[in-house]
Amino acid sequence: MRQNPERRAALLDAAIEVLAREGSRGLTLRAVDAEAGVPTGTASNYFAHRSQLLVQILHRTRERLTPDPADLTGPFDTKVLLHRLLERMRRERSVHTAMLELRLEATRRPELQEALAGFQGAELEANIAWHLEAGLPGDRQGVVLIYLAMLGLIVDDLTVPGLLDPHDVEGLIGTMVERLLPEAPAD
């Protein structure tokens, strides 16, 4: 297998675009080559098979979605952080759409489901730990609830963007934070 990291990243970025645009059925090594503008067969030099490509797409999405370190300097405000998350999602729409496609594909591929569960589980645990270590309000369960609420908001924003138009998304995020991550513990 080839090891040129820049070429691998470019192929994975092309794969993300194909997956987001065409869905899992349209994701072939040839389609990745065409999207990347490289000779046919190039992707097969980097990925032994489609399953390997799917798992590596998963890791590449994380690289592309990792927040800028400047956005993670205190003091922290959960509402601001969640708005930045939504803005990142909107800027990187294809990456999030590709992640949704990977989730759907995982329902049909046990090996991908296992990789996705491990990957997403580790990401969730890291986010919970970061939130708690940063001294933000709420507890572990509240952070999981925020994760689930934001995931729903993001999925709707990606798949049916007009659905939330009549609603004040900024206000919804504020209410989520206030209700799910209260400053003081409930009596």
Side-chain angles (χ1 to χ4, degrees), residues 139-181:
D139 59 9
R140 180 180 180 76
Q141 188 173 29
V143 176
V144 173
L145 289 170
I146 283 286
Y147 165 81
L148 294 170
M150 283 301 293
L151 182 59
L153 189 148
I154 287 170
V155 167
D156 280 351
D157 196 86
L158 280 171
T159 59
V160 192
L163 179 68
L164 297 176
D165 285 350
H167 305 281
D168 173 21
V169 172
E170 186 171 318
L172 290 172
I173 290 173
T175 301
M176 273 193 271
V177 171
E178 290 164 12
R179 292 185 184 175
L180 299 175
L181 300 173

Side-chain angles (χ1 to χ4, degrees), residues 15-63:
I16 287 169
E17 295 304 319
V18 170
L19 186 58
R21 186 179 59 245
E22 305 294 330
S24 181
R25 291 179 188 238
L27 182 68
T28 64
L29 294 174
R30 282 180 181 252
V32 171
D33 289 338
E35 181 73 21
V38 297
T40 301
T42 301
S44 63
N45 288 325
Y46 285 83
F47 312 105
H49 44 78
R50 191 170 179 276
S51 294
Q52 183 186 60
L53 174 63
L54 290 169
V55 171
Q56 289 195 29
I57 289 170
L58 183 63
H59 294 282
R60 180 65 179 155
T61 62
R62 182 55 42 223
E63 291 171 11

Side-chain angles (χ1 to χ4, degrees), residues 111-146:
E111 73 282 359
L112 181 58
Q113 187 173 61
E114 184 178 330
L116 183 64
F119 182 82
Q120 293 291 107
E123 285 290 309
L124 180 56
E125 288 302 320
N127 285 329
I128 293 167
W130 184 88
H131 183 97
L132 297 175
E133 289 168 12
L136 292 164
D139 59 9
R140 180 180 180 76
Q141 188 173 29
V143 176
V144 173
L145 289 170
I146 283 286

